Amino acid sequence: MLQDRAVLGVLELDEGLSSDSPNQIPRTGALTNPATFECLIITEMVEGARPDVVIRGEPLLDMACVAAARRLVQQGASVITSDCGFFIRHQEAVAAAVNVPVVLSSLLLVPALLRQLAPTRKLAVVTADSSNLDADLLGVDSQERRARIVIGGVEGGEYLRNSTARPFIRTDIAQIEKEVAACVAQLRADHPEIDMLLFECTGFPCVTDAIRMRTGLPVYDTTHLCRLTLASLEPRYCAARAQAPLSEPESFGSESR
């Protein structure tokens, strides 16, 4: 029998937090904030997935990602995502191993967003670390289309240092906005053709609205992809929802972003 609502399963980074580390309230827009999605949220840490390792890339993490995703499905997850856009490297392995939709990174949106823009306009991808965001992670084969993608990052700033520290250190939202805004401003100065922004980092949705207001540009992040995917499942849960209204959304796991 189908469950009465969708369940979002999140593959989490191994951020070196101990069992007695204080739980932090999820920020607005965070994947584990109950207000972000009208569904149950469950999490599983990927063994060995330290932030620096995932950002740099480690093919051997495929097995750990698959194992964590399968645990989430066993617990009832109907969609699998992740709390770091660089998990995109493990998208194919996880998608092949489970029978639910897998959307590990907002980078999956790149080909579709390019098609929204006029051929003379560009998409800017804003990442935590542009030095590790290779072109082969964008899902675009054509050199002509790749030339319309501009990549910028906040490496060298406080946010990335804190995010890769062990244990993880939470960065103030004002500092995240400052670093992201500076990155976007430089990208736009260098590439006036930019007409749209995509945030790779799952820590950036807390400033999506602020950057949208600053720039006047469309801004996409991982929460938009997750909402789209969850919405696609709605028909499977309509009958049950008609019988009983959704209970208060719940969230499990710590908020690291």
Side-chain angles (χ1 to χ4, degrees):
M1 183 174 66
L2 289 175
Q3 58 208 41
D4 63 354
R5 56 178 174 173
V7 177
L8 181 65
V10 182
L11 299 181
E12 289 196 315
L13 294 164
D14 176 359
E15 294 174 324
L17 300 173
S18 62
S19 58
D20 58 355
S21 296
N23 287 331
Q24 296 178 317
I25 298 173
R27 287 172 164 167
T28 299
L31 288 170
T32 52
N33 186 321
T36 304
F37 311 106
E38 290 187 356
C39 70
L40 183 69
I41 302 165
I42 58 178
T43 65
E44 279 287 337
M45 188 183 74
V46 177
E47 185 176 356
R50 300 195 314 271
D52 60 319
V53 173
V54 174
I55 290 173
R56 184 175 66 249
E58 173 49 70
L60 294 179
L61 280 179
D62 272 0
M63 295 178 62
C65 289
V66 166
R70 284 174 171 164
R71 291 195 298 271
L72 288 169
V73 172
Q74 289 171 357
Q75 296 170 54
S78 42
V79 174
I80 303 294
T81 188
S82 78
D83 70 351
C84 177
F86 283 98
F87 272 115
I88 186 71
R89 294 187 176 95
H90 312 288
Q91 170 74 27
E92 290 187 11
V94 175
V98 296
N99 61 349
V100 300
V102 176
V103 286
L104 297 189
S105 175
S106 64
L107 295 177
L108 293 172
L109 290 171
V110 169
L113 296 185
L114 270 183
R115 293 176 71 92
Q116 292 185 24
L117 299 173
T120 57
R121 310 310 291 174
K122 293 183 177 181
L123 168 69
V125 177
V126 185
T127 173
D129 185 354
S130 63
S131 66
N132 282 290
L133 208 169
D134 303 325
D136 61 355
L137 301 182
L138 301 175
V140 177
D141 295 329
S142 163
Q143 290 299 322
E144 182 180 355
R145 298 182 72 201
R146 281 188 179 182
R148 296 173 53 217
I149 304 170
V150 178
I151 300 173
V154 298
E155 61 269 21
E158 181 180 332
Y159 175 77
L160 185 60
R161 288 197 302 274
N162 288 347
S163 297
T164 55
R166 197 162 184 86
F168 167 91
I169 301 171
R170 198 179 201 189
T171 305
D172 290 341
I173 291 180
Q175 180 64 26
I176 299 175
E177 182 180 343
K178 177 182 177 181
E179 294 184 16
V180 173
C183 176
V184 170
Q186 186 61 57
L187 288 174
R188 297 184 77 191
D190 295 340
H191 304 274
E193 310 93 331
I194 290 173
D195 265 4
M196 186 178 291
L197 305 175
L198 172 67
F199 291 162
E200 165 276 322
C201 183
T202 59
F204 291 171
C206 65
V207 301
T208 293
D209 287 344
I211 300 302
R212 189 179 289 124
M213 290 291 293
R214 279 175 178 256
T215 64
L217 296 178
V219 183
Y220 288 83
D221 61 46
T222 190
T223 65
H224 299 111
L225 177 59
C226 289
R227 287 194 191 98
L228 175 67
T229 309
L230 289 164
S232 74
L233 299 175
E234 286 300 312
R236 296 174 55 188
Y237 305 97
C238 282
R241 289 184 178 187
Q243 297 296 324
L246 275 176
S247 57
E248 186 68 21
E250 302 170 60
S251 176
F252 296 94
S254 61
E255 161 59 21
S256 59
R257 299 281 157 189

